[in-house]
Amino acid sequence: GPKTNTSVVANGVDLDFFSDVKKSLPKDPTVLFVGTFKWLPNIEAVAEIVNKIWPLILQDLPHAKLKIVGFSPTNKIKAYAQDPTIQVMGGIDDIRDAFATAHVLLAPIRSGKGTRYKVLEAMITGTPVVATTLAAEGLDLQNGENVLIADTAHALAEATINLLKNPRLQQKLGLAGQKIVKQGYSWDTIAKVLDKVYKEFKH
């Protein structure tokens, strides 16, 4: 029954596992995307980052780097790495390393619900999040307080640039995110959110 699903998924976001991440931020401003590419909304989100959002970020921050992490990258996604500012990693041994070395998680998801997972994981590790309304939906987050929410490619780029240029805002959002997950998300709440996600993944 649903009990097993819940425990499987709840164990997937293990608070202790993620909360002992020590940030070791690279010199260059680094933007992270995480998500499996068996899932179409992630493929679409990465295409939007690379084609529409990333060029705007590079105009302003030419030294910025983009890390794309996720299982089963398509050939098209692998080809993005021909750009020297973009790194594509398929499966990664320890996903915590990706969060530890990123200044911001960018989640421009426009369909489906499967990303809340990644938003929570990023927040647990103190990684600030820039997300669409949909990606942050149901997590009870406040724009500007513990997440930056934007919906057009242009606004997502602006929010990301603003965050990359502003270490104090990074710190504020990082700490607020950790606090929310530790206080606001009892395992019951997380399990309910993720159980929904898990059921959608199964279909």
Side-chain angles (χ1 to χ4, degrees):
K3 271 281 184 289
T4 28
N5 288 0
T6 304
S7 61
V8 167
V9 180
N11 294 340
V13 181
D14 177 337
L15 207 56
D16 297 329
F17 176 78
F18 280 103
S19 57
D20 62 4
V21 167
K22 299 279 169 284
K23 281 279 189 190
S24 55
L25 291 170
K27 185 170 56 72
D28 293 327
T30 300
V31 175
L32 175 66
F33 178 88
V34 177
T36 169
F37 298 110
K38 292 200 162 90
W39 199 58
L40 185 63
N42 285 336
I43 295 176
E44 290 170 346
V46 163
E48 178 174 351
I49 293 176
V50 171
N51 297 319
K52 295 185 180 160
I53 301 173
W54 193 238
L56 297 173
I57 292 173
L58 285 180
Q59 269 172 26
D60 211 309
L61 294 163
H63 295 291
K65 300 282 183 279
L66 173 62
K67 272 205 282 207
I68 297 169
V69 177
F71 290 107
S72 316
T74 62
N75 287 334
K76 190 174 172 190
I77 288 170
K78 287 180 191 155
Y80 293 148
Q82 287 163 6
D83 179 325
T85 64
I86 299 175
Q87 187 184 11
V88 176
M89 303 157 86
I92 181 174
D93 286 339
D94 190 339
I95 191 68
R96 291 175 299 183
D97 296 342
F99 290 118
T101 54
H103 293 85
V104 52
L105 176 86
L106 180 54
I109 300 293
R110 305 206 174 277
S111 61
K113 297 275 200 307
T115 47
R116 295 170 179 183
Y117 220 169
K118 295 302 161 205
V119 169
L120 285 174
E121 287 176 0
M123 289 173 78
I124 295 169
T125 62
T127 307
V129 175
V130 174
T132 50
T133 303
L134 183 75
E137 198 181 60
L139 292 179
D140 206 23
L141 302 177
Q142 254 54 60
N143 188 18
E145 288 302 309
N146 38 40
V147 67
L148 296 183
I149 292 177
D151 285 301
T152 65
H154 199 269
L156 285 157
E158 276 191 333
T160 306
I161 290 164
N162 179 21
L163 193 53
L164 291 173
K165 285 182 164 178
N166 189 339
R168 285 180 69 175
L169 182 59
Q170 289 171 32
Q171 205 177 7
K172 176 189 156 177
L173 292 181
L175 289 169
Q178 277 181 320
K179 195 170 159 189
I180 258 205
V181 179
K182 284 177 180 165
Q183 294 179 350
Y185 283 89
S186 68
W187 278 115
D188 284 354
T189 323
I190 290 187
K192 279 197 192 88
V193 172
L194 296 179
D195 189 37
K196 270 205 189 108
V197 169
Y198 188 70
K199 288 200 173 101
E200 286 167 21
F201 266 124
K202 296 275 282 213
H203 297 313

